[in-house]
Amino acid sequence: MMGQIAIIVEFEPHAEQASDFLRKLEQDAAETLEDDGCLRMEVLRTRDGSGRIVLSELWRDEAAIEAHRTKPGHSHAWQVPMIKSKRVLLCDLVQSIHLAGSGEASR
């Protein structure tokens, strides 16, 4: 059985659209978290002054990702005019460690 899958997406938005892009991405992430099999969505901003934004997703399995991708209305087209670049990493979760009280460690 395959384990959980993480998707890490790094965006470089156009400076003049960075605030709007971040707002829309936060909304999109919150809506996606309601999808069956979506376990975690985190929207991050890099601290290096580059303006890059990172989306970290955790999914139960490939079937959950595929159901999300094929859901009616799903599209990333809104991102295209707002970003200079986008890099996507698809990763198998090897280990997830949490602080005591924030959830159980999983492998």
Side-chain angles (χ1 to χ4, degrees):
M1 180 174 129
M2 296 298 292
Q4 296 174 347
I5 300 168
I7 302 174
I8 311 298
V9 188
E10 181 181 309
F11 300 95
E12 185 180 1
H14 294 292
E16 66 278 3
Q17 295 186 328
S19 293
D20 291 338
F21 178 79
L22 182 59
R23 195 173 317 111
K24 174 65 174 141
L25 188 63
E26 288 173 320
Q27 177 185 354
D28 213 34
E31 291 171 3
T32 299
L33 191 56
E34 296 176 13
D35 288 359
D36 182 45
C38 183
L39 306 175
R40 184 187 74 225
M41 297 292 283
E42 295 174 327
V43 179
L44 312 161
R45 186 183 353 237
T46 61
R47 298 184 71 184
D48 62 5
S50 68
R52 288 180 308 217
I53 296 171
V54 177
L55 177 64
S56 174
E57 309 176 23
L58 184 63
W59 293 86
R60 180 185 58 230
D61 54 25
E62 186 67 41
I65 295 170
E66 189 58 26
H68 169 70
R69 284 182 184 147
T70 59
K71 160 174 100 169
H74 177 263
S75 173
H76 294 151
W78 67 268
Q79 299 172 358
V80 175
M82 302 179 89
I83 59 174
K84 295 182 208 176
S85 66
K86 175 180 177 177
R87 183 172 72 128
V88 180
L89 297 172
L90 189 62
C91 309
D92 291 317
L93 180 67
V94 175
Q95 182 178 28
S96 180
I97 302 171
H98 305 275
L99 295 174
S102 67
E104 296 181 25
S106 61
R107 292 179 191 224

